Amino acid sequence: MTDKKKTTIVLFSGDYDKAMAAYIIANGAAAYDHEVTIFHTFWGLNALRKDEKVKLKKGLLEKMFGSMMPRGADKMGLSKMNFGGFGPQMIKGVMKKHQALPLPELISMAQEQDVKLVACTMTMDLLGLQEEELLKNIEYAGVAAYLADAEDGNVNLFI
Amino acid sequence: MTDKKKTTIVLFSGDYDKAMAAYIIANGAAAYDHEVTIFHTFWGLNALRKDEKVKLKKGLLEKMFGSMMPRGADKMGLSKMNFGGFGPQMIKGVMKKHQALPLPELISMAQEQDVKLVACTMTMDLLGLQEEELLKNIEYAGVAAYLADAEDGNVNLFI
Amino acid sequence: MTDKKKTTIVLFSGDYDKAMAAYIIANGAAAYDHEVTIFHTFWGLNALRKDEKVKLKKGLLEKMFGSMMPRGADKMGLSKMNFGGFGPQMIKGVMKKHQALPLPELISMAQEQDVKLVACTMTMDLLGLQEEELLKNIEYAGVAAYLADAEDGNVNLFI
């Protein structure tokens, strides 16, 4: 039991810009001493993938999904103006110029601030993702755990 | 008046995967004894359409919208990797393999669990949808009813 | 300090239909005497752009972003069935027929109802947008201000 304020974000989207928004809010909330959880489901799981290929035994469909989805936060596209991958380079260019943190560093910062990063086990199954492919220090849980966090949440967002 | 926790979801999206996420959260919350409402607006209304064609008197624009939008949950596309309709087949394939419920069954389960399914009357007007085209046991309401539910909600999401 | 209910919306999306949903909820909540804030970030900032071109000194990337993004609410596209700009015309046609307010008028109404419209300064920097390009009576703030509003919010949405 805790008296801390709580922020709970479902990150459904696999877009670089939306994941950035999620992690900026999460890091901000953690800085304001909220207890923060990001529950990664569906395409949002891609933000937690390691960027190298991990050799694993998989079925055909799982292999197809695995190779078509971006490996890690840095390879995700934009929700708007993606321009076949040129858009993310533009955004990363202006971010560098304005000294804004790129997504992989926002994720590291969240981990340092004890933001709880959860991977949705049900959608991991569906997309054929395995724990070995995801970053370290991730928790694995389902919708019940999400709801337990969210029902006492002050800020609940679906991104 | 009730002491139950409350989950209120605006389903704006007409994507199969986003609607799945909405209904999985809704069914989970209902299982945890929340009072749950899904308010279907804009493209989210398509999840409530019957899959057969319903003969109705409509204007030209309404007819165009009606024929271009998917008839029912099973015909909705994916928000990512839709591949001209091949993506949903892939997802449905892995869902079957993992014994995950397809969207139409998630909707039936929600109705069995007394999740309140609401269709936004204002956007029904805009898109030219009529009650005869939607599933049975749907409520019809506007933004005022949504806000009355949401302002006491524990978990409020826009999907 | 206030006893009013609070609605706080992050408008991330630059889609006409999603922005409409945000402003319809905001205007509804204001009518029910909520304290309402819309925090415009990323592509959602485009809803606040003036529709004329404003001469400003900008770097090359900022100029590119500025010219590729829609100038103002009326020029935004749809999240679905955009059809290269024909979709918004269809929607605006049916809206006119059903006497629904177009987005620019929903924004004016929100301002008349004292909905607080905030532009996210961090993403203004990233996208190269300057105060001179945005509507009057906008507040400028960052994620900390958003969280301060949202943590006491009754209805918090990310759109």
Side-chain angles (χ1 to χ4, degrees):
Chain A
M1 212 53 192
T2 167
D3 285 345
K4 280 191 178 187
K5 301 249 175 182
K6 246 180 168 179
T7 292
T8 306
I9 296 170
V10 179
L11 181 57
F12 173 96
S13 168
D15 298 319
Y16 192 92
D17 44 348
K18 286 192 156 181
M20 257 186 77
Y23 273 90
I24 288 168
I25 294 171
N27 280 317
Y32 281 89
D33 210 31
H34 284 212
E35 215 180 285
V36 187
T37 301
I38 306 180
F39 185 81
H40 299 73
T41 188
F42 283 87
W43 322 106
L45 285 168
N46 291 321
L48 298 181
R49 286 180 90 186
K50 291 178 189 160
D51 52 11
E52 77 267 28
K53 202 175 166 173
V54 180
K55 278 223 161 179
L56 288 168
K57 224 184 133 181
K58 287 195 181 188
L60 184 63
L61 271 173
E62 283 84 357
K63 264 190 197 151
M64 282 177 69
F65 271 116
S67 65
M68 288 183 306
M69 295 188 303
R71 277 206 181 78
D74 193 45
K75 299 200 188 67
M76 290 157 72
L78 291 183
S79 68
K80 285 270 161 193
M81 308 211 302
N82 194 47
F83 302 129
F86 180 59
Q89 293 315 315
M90 281 178 67
I91 284 280
K92 287 174 198 172
V94 290
M95 282 168 63
K96 205 168 175 179
K97 188 175 149 190
H98 291 282
Q99 297 170 303
L101 290 181
L103 183 52
E105 293 187 31
L106 287 170
I107 296 175
S108 302
M109 181 194 272
Q111 291 196 305
E112 281 164 29
Q113 288 199 94
D114 291 323
V115 171
K116 189 164 77 179
L117 304 185
V118 185
C120 169
T121 46
M122 193 207 83
T123 44
M124 283 177 68
D125 271 1
L126 286 187
L127 301 176
L129 292 172
Q130 300 179 24
E131 296 193 12
E132 289 82 352
E133 295 173 86
L134 302 190
L135 301 178
K136 284 183 188 168
N137 302 319
I138 302 297
E139 297 187 23
Y140 296 89
V143 69
Y146 162 68
L147 285 164
D149 279 327
E151 69 178 21
D152 303 319
N154 298 79
V155 182
N156 287 321
L157 303 171
F158 184 99
I159 297 182
Chain B
M1 212 51 193
T2 167
D3 286 344
K4 281 193 178 186
K5 302 250 175 181
K6 246 181 168 177
T7 292
T8 305
I9 296 171
V10 178
L11 181 57
F12 172 96
S13 168
D15 299 318
Y16 191 92
D17 44 348
K18 286 191 157 182
M20 256 186 79
Y23 273 90
I24 289 169
I25 294 170
N27 280 317
Y32 281 90
D33 209 31
H34 285 212
E35 215 180 286
V36 187
T37 301
I38 307 181
F39 185 81
H40 300 73
T41 187
F42 283 87
W43 321 107
L45 285 168
N46 291 322
L48 299 181
R49 286 180 89 185
K50 291 179 190 158
D51 52 11
E52 76 267 27
K53 204 175 166 173
V54 180
K55 278 223 160 176
L56 289 167
K57 223 183 134 183
K58 287 194 182 192
L60 183 64
L61 271 172
E62 283 84 357
K63 263 188 198 153
M64 282 177 68
F65 272 116
S67 65
M68 288 182 308
M69 295 189 304
R71 275 205 183 80
D74 194 45
K75 298 200 188 66
M76 290 156 73
L78 291 183
S79 67
K80 285 272 162 192
M81 309 209 301
N82 195 46
F83 302 129
F86 180 59
Q89 293 314 315
M90 280 177 67
I91 283 280
K92 286 173 199 172
V94 291
M95 281 169 62
K96 205 167 176 180
K97 189 176 147 189
H98 291 282
Q99 297 169 301
L101 290 180
L103 183 53
E105 294 186 31
L106 287 170
I107 296 174
S108 302
M109 181 194 274
Q111 292 196 305
E112 281 163 30
Q113 290 199 94
D114 291 322
V115 171
K116 189 165 77 180
L117 304 185
V118 186
C120 169
T121 47
M122 191 207 84
T123 45
M124 282 177 68
D125 272 0
L126 286 188
L127 301 176
L129 292 173
Q130 300 178 24
E131 296 193 14
E132 289 82 352
E133 295 173 86
L134 302 190
L135 300 179
K136 283 184 187 166
N137 302 318
I138 303 296
E139 297 187 22
Y140 296 89
V143 69
Y146 162 68
L147 285 163
D149 279 327
E151 70 179 20
D152 303 319
N154 298 79
V155 181
N156 288 322
L157 303 172
F158 184 99
I159 296 184
Chain C
M1 212 52 194
T2 167
D3 286 343
K4 280 192 177 185
K5 301 249 175 184
K6 246 181 170 179
T7 291
T8 307
I9 295 171
V10 178
L11 181 57
F12 172 96
S13 168
D15 298 319
Y16 190 92
D17 45 348
K18 286 191 157 182
M20 256 186 79
Y23 272 91
I24 288 168
I25 294 171
N27 280 318
Y32 281 88
D33 209 32
H34 284 212
E35 215 182 285
V36 187
T37 302
I38 307 181
F39 185 81
H40 299 72
T41 187
F42 283 87
W43 322 107
L45 286 168
N46 292 321
L48 298 181
R49 287 180 87 184
K50 291 178 189 159
D51 53 10
E52 76 268 27
K53 202 176 167 173
V54 180
K55 277 224 160 176
L56 289 167
K57 224 185 132 181
K58 286 196 182 189
L60 183 63
L61 272 173
E62 283 83 358
K63 262 186 198 155
M64 281 177 68
F65 270 116
S67 65
M68 288 183 307
M69 294 188 305
R71 275 205 183 78
D74 193 46
K75 298 200 189 66
M76 289 156 74
L78 290 183
S79 67
K80 285 272 161 192
M81 309 210 301
N82 194 46
F83 302 129
F86 180 60
Q89 293 314 316
M90 281 178 65
I91 284 280
K92 286 172 198 172
V94 290
M95 282 168 62
K96 204 167 176 179
K97 189 176 149 190
H98 290 282
Q99 297 170 302
L101 290 181
L103 184 52
E105 293 186 32
L106 287 170
I107 296 174
S108 303
M109 181 194 274
Q111 292 196 306
E112 281 163 28
Q113 289 199 93
D114 291 323
V115 171
K116 188 165 78 179
L117 304 185
V118 185
C120 169
T121 47
M122 192 206 82
T123 45
M124 284 177 68
D125 271 2
L126 286 187
L127 302 176
L129 292 172
Q130 300 178 25
E131 296 193 12
E132 289 82 352
E133 294 173 85
L134 302 190
L135 301 178
K136 282 183 187 166
N137 302 320
I138 303 296
E139 297 187 23
Y140 295 89
V143 68
Y146 162 67
L147 285 164
D149 279 326
E151 68 178 22
D152 303 319
N154 298 79
V155 182
N156 287 321
L157 302 172
F158 184 101
I159 296 183

